[in-house]
Amino acid sequence: MKLVRYGNPGKEKPGLIDSDGKLRDLSSVVPDIGAQQLGAAGLARIRKINPAKLPAVRGTPRFGCPVAQVGKFIAIGLNYADHAAESGAPIPTEPIVFMKATSCIQGPNDPVMLPKGSVKTDWEVELGVVIGTRARYVSKKDALAYVAGYCLINDVSEREYQLERGSQWDKGKGCDTFGPIGPWLVTADEVENVQRLDMWLDLNGKRMQTGNTKTMIFNVAQIVSYVSQFMTLLPGDVITTGTPPGVGLGMKPPMYLKKGDVITLGIQGLGEQRQVVVPFKV
C-alpha cells in the first residue's frame, strides 16, 4: 500500500494511492496514519478495504508527511563510502547516529527555508525507514520485521552549523523545513528488496546525486538492529539512512542552496519530491 496524509498543514487527512494512481480518502476507516495504524493489526485493517469503495479525492491537494506525530526522527551519517570520501571523512566502523528535530518535518513539496544568515545549506536524498512495531535489542536477522514501510526523505543540512560550530551535528540538521518526508509511505510488503533501490536528486534540472541503496555501508536491517541497542524504537519513529555522493559540500568548489533554487529528488518506487528554496522568514 501507498499511504498518504493530504491537506493543509496541521489538518491533513489519511489517504491511500490506489493501483491506478488515484488518491482515495481513508478518513472513514482510520483517523490518521500514525502509531496505531502502523502496526501489523492496523495495516491489516487497512488492507481489507477495497480502495475502489473509498471516495476519490478531486484535484491535487498538498501532501503532508505520511506519518502523523513522528516520535523520533533519527538519522544515520556517512552511510555511503563515496559520500564519506567526498566529505573528507573516514568510513565509519559503526553507524553514526544523530537526531533531526521533529519540528523540521514537513510535506514533500513544501518550500525549504534557508536559516537566518545561512550560507551553507545543502541537500541529501535519503531512504527513510518507518518503524511499525516496538523494537528493543532486536537482532539483524529479525530487524526488518519491525519495519512498517519506507519513504523518501531530503535530509536538508546546514554545513556551517553542522561542522563548524561544535561537535554536535544536530544544530545543522534540525532547522525548520529541513525534513521533507513523503509523498507516501510504501508498506514493507510492497518493497521487494530495499537494498536495490535507485535514488537521485536534481538541482535546477541538473543531476547532482545518483545512487542506489545497495552501496550503503550499513544496510537497513543492520541500522534498525544497531539503533535499537541504544534506544527503544516505537511505531511511527522514522530513521533516515544516509545519502550517496553528490552533495554541495563535496563539490569543488562547494555549492550551496540559494533563494529560488528548485530541488527535485526521488527513490525507485517511493515517489518524488519538489522543493523551492525560500529566504528566512520569522
Side-chain angles (χ1 to χ4, degrees):
M1 295 182 292
K2 293 179 180 176
L3 302 176
V4 302
R5 298 174 65 249
Y6 68 95
N8 293 330
K11 297 181 179 180
E12 292 93 347
K13 294 181 178 181
L16 63 77
I17 306 297
D18 69 16
S19 58
D20 295 323
K22 294 180 180 178
L23 173 59
R24 300 280 181 170
D25 182 16
L26 261 179
S27 57
S28 64
V29 181
V30 292
D32 212 334
I33 305 296
Q36 295 298 316
Q37 292 75 42
L38 293 172
L43 293 177
R45 180 184 178 192
I46 298 173
R47 283 194 188 95
K48 291 179 181 178
I49 304 300
N50 180 354
K53 295 184 178 180
L54 296 171
V57 179
R58 296 182 179 181
T60 54
R62 167 191 174 270
F63 284 132
C65 173
V67 180
Q69 298 177 333
V70 173
K72 293 191 288 293
F73 194 5
I74 304 158
I76 307 299
L78 302 176
N79 196 30
Y80 291 72
D82 32 16
H83 171 56
E86 73 174 351
S87 301
I91 295 174
T93 56
E94 293 189 34
I96 295 172
V97 180
F98 60 94
M99 308 294 283
K100 286 179 73 77
T102 55
S103 55
C104 82
I105 293 172
Q106 63 170 18
N109 303 316
D110 295 341
V112 164
M113 181 177 69
L114 298 171
K116 187 176 182 179
S118 167
V119 294
K120 295 184 179 180
T121 296
D122 205 347
W123 57 85
E124 296 189 8
V125 58
E126 302 200 3
L127 170 71
V129 178
V130 180
I131 301 298
T133 305
R134 182 180 182 272
R136 183 169 180 258
Y137 293 102
V138 302
S139 69
K140 296 175 189 175
K141 176 175 65 72
D142 297 331
L144 294 186
Y146 294 81
V147 175
Y150 303 97
C151 57
L152 170 63
I153 295 177
N154 187 356
D155 177 20
V156 186
S157 309
E158 213 296 344
R159 302 302 188 188
E160 180 186 8
Y161 300 177
Q162 177 190 356
L163 303 172
E164 301 173 32
R165 299 184 65 175
S167 60
Q168 299 300 317
W169 285 13
D170 302 38
K171 288 180 288 190
K173 295 288 191 170
C175 302
D176 290 349
T177 76
F178 274 24
I181 300 179
W184 41 69
L185 182 158
V186 179
T187 51
D189 60 301
E190 293 200 5
V191 179
E192 183 176 352
N193 187 343
V194 72
Q195 301 302 156
R196 288 293 185 274
L197 301 179
D198 291 328
M199 52 204 308
W200 58 272
L201 182 145
D202 291 350
L203 179 63
N204 300 323
K206 181 180 179 181
R207 183 59 46 92
M208 295 294 175
Q209 292 186 270
T210 302
N212 188 288
T213 56
K214 68 183 178 183
T215 64
M216 285 181 174
I217 299 169
F218 306 102
N219 64 30
V220 172
Q222 290 172 310
I223 289 168
V224 172
S225 173
Y226 183 86
V227 175
S228 79
Q229 314 303 309
F230 301 98
M231 64 191 81
T232 299
L233 298 172
L234 300 173
D237 286 350
V238 176
I239 306 174
T240 189
T241 58
T243 197
V247 301
L249 174 68
M251 302 291 175
K252 299 187 184 303
M255 176 189 302
Y256 297 110
L257 296 170
K258 62 185 185 303
K259 174 185 174 182
D261 282 346
V262 177
I263 313 164
T264 51
L265 58 150
I267 294 180
Q268 180 183 352
L270 302 184
E272 299 182 4
Q273 298 183 357
R274 180 184 186 274
Q275 297 112 27
V276 177
V277 178
V278 297
F280 173 80
K281 183 178 180 181
V282 177

